[in-house]
Amino acid sequence: MRLNLAPLAAAALVVTAFGAQAQATGPIKVGFMLPYTGTYASLGQMIESGFKLYVQEQGGKLGGREIQYFKVDDESEPSKGTDNVNKLIKRDQVDVLVGTVHSGVALAMAKAAKESNTLLIIPNAGADAITGPMCGANIVRSSFSNWQPAYAMGKVAADKGHKKAITITWNYAAGSESVKGFAEAFEKGGGKVVKELNLPFPGVEFQALLTEIAAQKPDAVYAFFAGGGAVKFVKDYAAAGLNKSIPLYGPGFLTDGTLEAQGPAAQGMFTTLHYADNLDTARNNAFRKSFALTYKSQADVYAVQGYDAAQILAAGVNAVKGDLSKRDAVTAAMHKVVVDSPRGKFTISAAGNPVQDIYLRQATGNNNEFRGVAVKALADPARGCKL
Amino acid sequence: MDLPTFLVQCLNAVQYGLLLFLVASGLTLIFGIMGVINLAHGSFYMIGAYMAFVLAPYFGDWYLTKLLVGVALAAVFGFVLEWAFFSFLYQREHLQQVLMTYALILVFEEARSLLVGNDVHGVTTPEWLNGGFQLGGLMAYPWYRVFASLACVVVALGLYFVVNRTRLGMMIRAGASNRDMARGLGLNIKLLYRVVFAGGVALAALAGMIAAPLSSVYPGMGGSVLITCFVVVVIGGIGSITGALIASLLVGFVDTFGKVFFAEYSGVGVYLLMAVILVWRPEGLMKRAY
Amino acid sequence: MTRTWIVPVVAALALFALPAVLTPYTQDLVVKIAIYAVFALSLELLVGVTGLVSLGHAAFLGIGAYVTVLAAGDSGGSVATVAPLAVLAAAGYALFVGALSLRTKGVYFIMVTLAFAQMAYFVFHDTKLAGGSDGLFLYAKPALGALNLDDKRHLYYTVIVTLVATYALLALLMRARFGHALAGIRVNEQRMRAAGFATFGYKLAAFVIAGAIAGLAGFLLAIKDGAVNPELLSWHESGAVLLMLILGGIGSLRGAVIGAIAFTLLKELFQLESLLGPVASHWQMTLGFTIIAFVALLPKGLIGVRSRFSGAAHG
């Protein structure tokens, strides 16, 4: 046994030695938990770029302190979520967690953040529960709740006179919440969702379901997909000829960052989102220019969300001049801030979610162009939040 | 469900089943002839799909040429892999084969990550297969899916021809029924195994290439195909190509119509089918009947 | 014979004393390893003792974990109800799977167990029974009198006690008539049947017991993580536990425990960026090559390393 225990003991020692690196003062430790691989990899990259752009614009410091970054690839895998976030919280002992894209993973992050009372800023994941039953003072979102753009779309669809709709999405939290938000507004406006189709995440074999849609002949279809799935669905929808007879609607994720790949299949599609690429405001133009210069690529909504996450953190840190031990003042400032975002100014609700305008956009060329405001200053109902 | 919709769903089921058959036939051949349980078979499917993606810019619309080149490359790869790795597995017990081939999956996935990255990619269909034909007023059925089904049928016929009407096929059937006797009669078993393995890999890779535009190319795509293939082989009977065909079509129908009628439980349906068949025929529907 | 007891007893005592010197992160790690050791031990009964290679054992782990979360509900419930429910659910599914798959042999058996595990996976992944692909969270942990599983120390000792008890139970089983019958079945089933043993019954019993213990490991895992996910039932998990057995050495209970330790530590090691740099993000490849090397060079596992040098047989 001696022969076998020695190497194992050595391995255990190595793991612990390289793991813990506690720090008292000095740089603010920011832990990114984002998808750097898999179907959401490009989104993770955009978020990090946006965040770092803001810090760079502040001279690399927030509240007078430097920023030290830690990264964990969450692979958009909810099963590894708890393990991964604990690496940042327990092993690297970060001051602030920033993440993630996938709602299921974000739920694990929120739970861990609540249990360890770590600051958490969510730059994308829209899980309603995070600013609902799982809300906490230390958790703020810079993006949206799944309900928001979906509700706006439902209102738009009802206003356009559609009466019969079918929804289709992946079978996970983000998908079902989005569909619920759409149904709520659509049915309030006099329509009815006759069928809810879904398939397991991240499957892209839509053929059987497209056939079902064709058979049911609804007035409209609402789809929630993102990343690679969004590209495939819009293309398959057009390939089946359905886009000529049944208009396809969705939240902005259906067409954000995917227009080039989708090509003619997506042209003319209406979507709702809290951002539009060609929003002609001074703030947005300056942001997009700065982003393009730094990263040699066009910013998208995910970059904006990352950028605004940094703004929210800055508001909190500046309010206490860098002393993060004054936690209550930090979170209070983070909730009171009026964020001067490229998407337009927005505030944070008591539950931690942005209260913002949702825009109607139309896919034209390679851009989702602004067509008007679908709903002004829409606040997520934060059902179940006790804050 | 009205008739036109039913017919379209049948088309969908057959197309899925035929693609599955292509992958499963390779697996059942390798199982049946060499007795090796190969968990990495799904990886060959993935390799084929990624090849379709990587080769696309070089071949453009020369789609059939691309397929042929891909199949040839896969066969060579299979040949080398058998010589370098799999030939050592025949003598080992099943558990070791399981673990070695499982490790191979890990290696292949990471190699894919290193060479091509982790993004999801779409593969476009060639110009001459774009569009579809109108099915009444219902929807357009894509030409590419028709092509996929036809290609699988052609390969299936070719497989039948090779196995039942050529010398090679005779050797395969001999090696399958009694390895030692065949060797005793002068058959070069080593070379035969290598050829069969290469063939199995080529079949799986071809299926992957054909499926790439339909399912997109993404990390982990080999895993789901693998397990469904196992189910097909269990239902059809190890070593039986006809069994694999019948089982694949059965699975195709259960899966497609399951998605429509029992959306949530469609994934479970295929396994329930397997359970039922097992109760009735533990050795599969058509054990070893070519 | 007394010599074989010394090492496990010493190890158990050491485990009880450890919390005094461990950081929270490493204490978590030890708990994780101990739970996986219980899981590996359960599979050892099937693979090592009875010779049944199951590639779907993770299903029972997952079912135990899910039932724990579902039974605990909002208030946590009592350990006295939740734990037996989890174990019974896992054992029940094992009975169903075993009854059907034990009709097959060899390669078929491997594939069929894999397929049934996939079936359970899809039930949790696709349906609205549980949280779908996002999994479920355990908001309140079950308690039993003074035992509060929310407390890390209590959880630690509970897990260690379970590990020791499982080890002892299996060691006793192996020495009893039941264990000898299973070993006989592994060596030559036909002979056992000729000798009058109802081999199907024995195999099924072993399968169900193994499933039950795996369910217990699942219960502990759900409590430790506070979250369950369909990936717990995936074939990657089933493959991982088989790997633990072969790493440690098939055929001995010690091997199962050593394998669990080795596998978990290796995974942690391979993912350490501070040690391996850029290779760390491709840890699966490193793991893959390690497995191949192990199976090729050390088919008897780490336990076999010692006998290679001392030449002694190990039981």
Side-chain angles (χ1 to χ4, degrees):
Chain A
M1 284 309 265
R2 260 155 265 156
L3 209 67
N4 300 318
L5 276 180
L8 290 178
L13 275 172
V14 167
V15 169
T16 48
F18 279 91
Q21 276 155 52
Q23 293 209 338
T25 51
I28 300 179
K29 293 161 127 194
V30 171
F32 283 121
M33 185 156 138
L34 291 168
Y36 292 105
T37 55
T39 193
Y40 288 150
S42 52
L43 283 61
Q45 265 314 127
M46 277 295 183
I47 290 173
E48 188 182 326
S49 303
F51 190 98
K52 286 189 171 163
L53 180 66
Y54 182 77
V55 173
Q56 188 189 303
E57 286 176 357
Q58 307 309 306
K61 288 194 192 178
L62 293 182
R65 291 170 69 177
E66 299 263 332
I67 311 289
Q68 187 187 9
Y69 296 107
F70 292 86
K71 277 161 71 148
V72 162
D73 177 9
D74 69 19
E75 299 170 61
S76 296
E77 282 274 4
S79 58
K80 300 182 187 161
T82 317
D83 266 352
N84 279 329
V85 73
N86 279 333
K87 283 194 191 130
L88 287 171
I89 297 180
K90 292 194 183 153
R91 193 187 63 184
D92 301 330
Q93 291 169 350
V94 297
D95 298 308
V96 179
L97 282 170
V98 176
T100 174
V101 173
H102 189 287
S103 279
V105 180
L107 282 168
M109 284 184 80
K111 186 163 181 292
K114 275 188 93 164
E115 282 173 5
S116 58
N117 200 16
T118 314
L119 277 174
L120 170 61
I121 304 181
I122 302 178
N124 188 73
D128 292 344
I130 294 179
T131 49
M134 285 191 77
C135 64
N138 57 327
I139 301 177
V140 175
R141 220 181 342 220
S142 69
S143 52
F144 58 95
S145 71
N146 289 323
W147 181 92
Q148 276 173 315
Y151 185 86
M153 194 75 243
K155 185 166 177 301
V156 168
D159 289 345
K160 277 192 195 283
H162 297 302
K163 291 280 175 252
K164 198 174 135 188
I166 289 188
T167 60
I168 177 169
T169 181
W170 278 317
N171 188 10
Y172 71 148
S176 31
E177 288 172 359
S178 188
V179 159
K180 266 209 222 49
F182 173 83
E184 192 180 321
F186 189 65
E187 299 195 340
K188 216 196 282 186
K192 182 143 175 44
V193 174
V194 294
K195 210 157 192 219
E196 288 180 7
L197 298 172
N198 59 53
L199 68 163
F201 175 84
V204 289
E205 248 301 358
F206 303 114
Q207 194 59 14
L209 297 176
L210 285 172
T211 311
E212 184 60 16
I213 291 176
Q216 295 283 335
K217 297 201 201 331
D219 303 329
V221 169
Y222 175 81
F224 175 89
F225 294 106
V231 173
K232 184 93 191 332
F233 183 76
V234 171
K235 285 176 78 172
D236 279 1
Y237 194 81
L242 292 171
N243 59 339
K244 298 196 188 67
S245 46
I246 309 174
L248 176 63
Y249 299 106
F253 312 108
L254 205 55
T255 53
D256 242 74
T258 55
L259 281 176
E260 203 177 320
Q262 284 161 336
Q267 292 303 302
M269 267 182 66
F270 283 105
T271 53
T272 48
L273 198 65
H274 47 287
Y275 185 67
D277 294 328
N278 69 332
L279 215 51
D280 194 10
T281 60
R283 187 73 176 98
N284 189 36
N285 293 332
F287 165 73
R288 291 189 77 87
K289 191 151 151 222
S290 172
F291 191 91
L293 275 171
T294 317
Y295 297 108
K296 316 270 182 296
S297 65
Q298 289 299 315
D300 60 16
V301 61
Y302 306 107
V304 171
Q305 289 165 180
Y307 187 80
D308 291 340
Q311 293 207 63
I312 294 175
L313 177 63
V317 171
N318 287 333
V320 293
K321 303 221 193 329
D323 185 4
L324 287 175
S325 65
K326 300 202 184 104
R327 174 57 72 79
D328 286 343
V330 173
T331 53
M334 279 168 65
H335 279 79
K336 282 204 202 44
V337 63
V338 176
V339 183
D340 185 15
S341 165
R343 71 184 93 167
K345 290 206 192 351
F346 69 88
T347 55
I348 305 282
S349 68
N353 205 54
V355 180
Q356 57 195 341
D357 296 342
I358 307 289
Y359 306 118
L360 181 66
R361 313 112 38 94
Q362 189 173 29
T364 316
N366 275 345
N367 275 329
N368 286 295
E369 295 195 345
F370 175 77
R371 287 284 176 269
V373 177
V375 180
K376 224 172 162 17
L378 184 62
D380 177 273
R383 299 188 176 108
C385 179
K386 296 189 187 63
L387 278 181
Chain B
M1 180 180 271
D2 56 0
L3 190 61
T5 319
F6 176 73
L7 288 175
V8 176
Q9 295 289 28
C10 285
L11 264 177
N12 293 335
V14 166
Q15 179 250 301
Y16 173 53
L18 283 174
L19 256 170
L20 200 53
F21 165 68
L22 225 53
V23 192
S25 59
L27 187 65
T28 205
L29 265 180
I30 295 177
F31 261 139
I33 314 267
M34 280 106 79
V36 174
I37 181 165
N38 174 23
L39 290 182
H41 200 71
S43 299
F44 303 142
Y45 173 84
M46 173 199 68
I47 289 175
Y50 271 90
M51 260 203 299
F53 166 66
V54 166
L55 291 177
Y58 300 103
F59 285 89
D61 280 342
W62 291 81
Y63 200 67
L64 289 176
T65 325
K66 185 176 84 170
L67 284 181
L68 285 171
V69 168
V71 166
L73 284 173
V76 168
F77 174 68
F79 203 83
V80 170
L81 188 63
E82 199 276 354
W83 168 77
F85 184 78
F86 275 88
S87 46
F88 300 106
L89 291 184
Y90 302 139
Q91 306 306 324
R92 303 222 174 217
E93 25 175 78
H94 289 314
L95 175 59
Q96 295 181 338
Q97 291 176 356
V98 163
L99 291 170
M100 297 273 253
T101 51
Y102 177 72
L104 204 59
I105 298 178
L106 295 179
V107 171
F108 280 145
E109 282 289 328
E110 286 295 341
R112 188 256 320 128
S113 170
L114 280 165
L115 291 172
V116 194
N118 284 312
D119 295 328
V120 175
H121 295 288
V123 177
T124 45
T125 56
E127 197 54 51
W128 52 280
L129 279 173
N130 267 339
F133 58 96
Q134 274 298 121
L135 285 171
L138 191 62
M139 60 191 284
Y141 195 78
W143 280 120
Y144 187 78
R145 288 186 184 259
V146 177
F147 166 76
S149 301
L150 281 177
C152 293
V153 169
V154 165
V155 172
L157 288 172
L159 207 55
Y160 173 80
F161 181 77
V162 167
V163 170
N164 286 311
R165 301 248 189 271
T166 64
R167 272 192 73 99
L168 174 65
M170 200 165 62
M171 290 196 269
I172 290 176
R173 280 178 286 139
S177 16
N178 194 323
R179 191 177 313 167
D180 295 315
M181 181 71 93
R183 207 180 320 153
L185 288 171
L187 229 52
N188 187 347
I189 285 285
K190 275 208 185 130
L191 186 62
L192 181 68
Y193 281 6
R194 210 153 286 164
V195 168
V196 169
F197 191 82
V201 172
L203 280 169
L206 177 64
M209 293 187 85
I210 294 180
L214 298 173
S215 65
S216 295
V217 165
Y218 58 95
M221 66 188 296
S224 37
V225 157
L226 174 75
I227 304 201
T228 319
C229 272
F230 274 14
V231 173
V232 165
V233 169
V234 168
I235 294 179
I238 290 186
S240 162
I241 298 189
T242 326
L245 182 61
I246 299 177
S248 305
L249 290 171
L250 264 176
V251 167
F253 272 89
V254 168
D255 191 71
T256 304
F257 282 94
K259 276 206 187 88
V260 178
F261 290 121
F262 306 105
E264 286 187 350
Y265 292 91
S266 62
V268 181
V270 172
Y271 301 98
L272 280 176
L273 172 69
M274 182 190 73
V276 166
I277 304 264
L278 273 179
V279 168
W280 177 41
R281 290 260 194 116
E283 297 238 296
L285 289 175
M286 313 195 71
K287 190 171 185 322
R288 290 278 181 87
Y290 281 96
Chain C
M1 272 318 260
T2 34
R3 281 202 65 209
T4 55
W5 286 112
I6 293 185
V7 173
V9 168
V10 167
L13 287 174
L15 280 174
F16 276 108
L18 268 180
V21 298
L22 292 178
T23 67
Y25 186 65
T26 38
Q27 190 173 311
D28 246 6
L29 195 60
V30 173
V31 170
K32 180 156 102 164
I33 293 178
I35 295 177
Y36 276 111
V38 174
F39 185 37
L41 280 170
S42 73
L43 188 61
E44 171 65 25
L45 182 66
L46 273 183
V47 178
V49 181
T50 323
L52 293 169
V53 178
S54 162
L55 198 46
H57 208 58
F60 311 117
L61 179 80
I63 289 177
Y66 262 93
V67 169
T68 305
V69 175
L70 290 169
D74 286 329
S75 58
S78 161
V79 174
T81 43
V82 175
L85 265 175
V87 171
L88 276 170
Y93 193 62
L95 187 61
F96 168 70
V97 174
L100 284 174
S101 40
L102 285 168
R103 307 173 105 232
T104 63
K105 284 196 202 352
V107 150
Y108 274 108
F109 180 73
I110 299 176
M111 290 198 286
V112 168
T113 49
L114 174 60
F116 276 120
Q118 263 315 87
M119 182 163 110
Y121 171 84
F122 277 120
V123 168
F124 288 112
H125 187 271
D126 289 352
T127 68
K128 304 252 189 307
L129 261 180
S133 61
D134 293 329
L136 284 176
F137 286 104
L138 183 66
Y139 290 104
K141 305 196 176 158
L144 184 70
L147 181 66
N148 171 22
L149 289 173
D150 223 351
D151 181 325
K152 296 276 179 201
R153 278 289 176 95
H154 285 211
L155 179 65
Y156 180 89
Y157 285 115
T158 311
V159 170
I160 300 297
V161 165
T162 312
L163 175 60
V164 171
T166 309
Y167 192 100
L169 172 72
L170 286 174
L172 281 172
L173 263 179
M174 279 170 73
R175 275 163 178 63
R177 196 183 128 100
F178 181 65
H180 286 280
L182 293 179
I185 292 174
R186 180 186 79 238
V187 172
N188 192 327
E189 190 178 341
Q190 266 190 316
R191 203 192 305 164
M192 291 299 286
R193 233 179 304 150
F197 282 86
T199 54
F200 185 82
Y202 276 93
K203 288 195 289 186
L204 187 59
F207 201 85
V208 171
I209 295 176
I213 299 179
L216 185 60
F219 165 78
L220 292 170
L221 196 60
I223 295 191
K224 169 191 169 295
D225 280 343
V228 291
N229 193 280
E231 297 307 312
L232 279 177
L233 296 102
S234 79
W235 57 294
H236 282 288
E237 201 71 28
S238 294
V241 67
L242 271 179
L243 277 173
M244 291 181 208
L245 287 188
I246 210 161
L247 270 179
I250 302 212
S252 76
L253 297 177
R254 257 179 251 200
V257 177
I258 294 178
I261 300 175
F263 181 78
T264 317
L265 285 179
L266 270 180
K267 261 182 87 170
E268 285 280 324
L269 207 67
F270 287 153
Q271 293 183 58
L272 270 183
E273 264 188 52
S274 33
L275 190 65
L276 291 172
V279 182
S281 56
H282 296 287
W283 59 272
Q284 290 196 75
M285 189 179 255
T286 328
L287 184 65
F289 281 127
T290 311
I291 297 168
I292 294 178
F294 243 95
V295 177
L297 301 170
L298 278 177
K300 288 211 188 322
L302 284 169
I303 290 263
V305 173
R306 183 184 182 216
S307 57
R308 270 207 180 190
F309 285 91
S310 69
H314 202 97

